[in-house]
Amino acid sequence: MSESGFGGDREERGGRFGGRGPGGRGGDRDRDRERGPMSVKARLRAKARKKARKAQKKKGSAFRKKVCRFCADAAVGIDYKDPKGLRYFLTETGKLIPLRISGNCAKHQRQIAIAIKRGRQLALMPYASHHGI
Amino acid sequence: MREYETTFIVQPEISDEAAKEFLTRLDGLLERSGAVRLLHDDQGKRRLAYDIQKFQKGRYVTSYYLSDGSAVTVLERALRLEESVLRFLTVMADPEVTDIEARKTRAAEQERQHAERARERALREAEEERAREADMRSGGSGGLGGRADDDDDDDDRGDDE
């Protein structure tokens, strides 16, 4: 019961979640390789990844790659004494905008974060603004 | 030699003469501690993002100087002891300056530009001040009821932003 029962369970699982069986598209595909038993969470994560991939494909041209503005234009410097230029990277309540949204590259996002924190110490940038609420 | 920049906020009520005197005192300190003074950039009065010691505005000054690092403690000590300085921050701008003379000449040029900017700013501020006064006078001469209400509205909106 122990060995064979386990294997059978795995096959059934493959049929339910893998869609096509091994060699579904007539190729020796990586995704058809023998895998160990997936945990429930791993299965859910895989499902979510697949869904996200599909959604992105569907969107197609609507999805635009963001470009770091400091990489694009070397002339734009990052200066903690320039609150106008840094304001763009803060929310209305004074929080830092993550690079996921601002589109900065990691290097420049670090520099921006440091500049904003210095500006805060000098009362050029807000720590928090309660006007936005 | 390293290049440092120290930005500090002076109380807005301090007069121009007193501020200038303070800067010359800092020059003396820098010289005595073996630093090369490059320039002071007086950026004028700016609105603070938050109140410091109940002040809403402050005069921002940035000092640039070359030093091996010993001048920083001397300068910061002087700033800490000076009551009229609300806040200061020192940042290393360049870890290694080899051509000191070249940097000095560039600093002189920068100082000229900053002085020009400061003059323009002073003119603009004077103009704004005059405009505000004229506005106040015309507001005062207008009808009391409707005028006053209108003014109130504008003020409220300004505060919210």
Side-chain angles (χ1 to χ4, degrees), chain A residues 52-103:
Chain A
R53 258 201 313 274
K54 257 192 180 160
Q56 209 180 28
K57 226 184 217 169
K58 223 183 213 172
K59 260 203 226 161
S61 59
F63 179 78
R64 222 179 75 241
K65 182 103 179 73
K66 293 185 200 119
V67 180
C68 173
R69 59 182 56 204
F70 300 101
C71 290
D73 187 359
V76 186
I78 300 174
D79 186 9
Y80 65 93
K81 296 191 292 297
D82 171 29
K84 275 194 197 121
L86 294 174
R87 199 42 61 96
Y88 182 81
F89 300 101
L90 286 184
T91 65
E92 280 163 36
T93 45
K95 298 205 275 186
L96 283 161
I97 291 180
L99 61 79
R100 159 166 60 84
I101 291 162
S102 68

Side-chain angles (χ1 to χ4, degrees), chain B residues 62-133:
Chain B
T62 308
S63 295
Y64 298 82
Y65 51 95
L66 304 174
S67 166
D68 55 2
S70 55
V72 176
T73 39
V74 176
L75 193 73
E76 288 200 338
R77 202 178 115 85
L79 292 173
R80 201 168 289 132
L81 291 176
E82 179 64 43
E83 296 258 313
S84 61
V85 173
L86 301 176
R87 197 65 65 95
F88 60 85
L89 177 76
T90 305
V91 173
M92 200 197 328
D94 192 345
E96 186 60 57
V97 178
T98 39
D99 196 345
I100 293 171
E101 283 310 311
R103 182 68 188 93
K104 258 168 134 175
T105 49
R106 202 152 59 84
E109 175 60 29
Q110 277 174 319
E111 186 146 47
R112 252 200 307 283
Q113 283 173 10
H114 290 323
E116 186 117 333
R117 226 176 45 203
R119 250 200 311 283
E120 279 172 21
R121 194 173 52 229
L123 278 176
R124 204 173 52 234
E125 270 167 16
E127 189 121 328
E128 273 168 19
E129 186 70 25
R130 265 202 302 279
R132 219 179 3 254
E133 265 171 34

Side-chain angles (χ1 to χ4, degrees), chain B residues 5 9 11-13 15-16 20 22 29 32 36 46 50-51 75 79 83 102 114 133 139 153:
Chain B
E5 50 181 75
I9 312 173
Q11 283 182 9
E13 288 148 12
S15 69
D16 285 359
K20 216 161 255 165
F22 178 56
L29 277 176
R32 253 173 288 148
V36 180
R46 281 200 198 176
Y50 49 87
D51 293 8
L75 193 73
L79 292 173
E83 296 258 313
H114 290 323
E133 265 171 34
D153 267 345

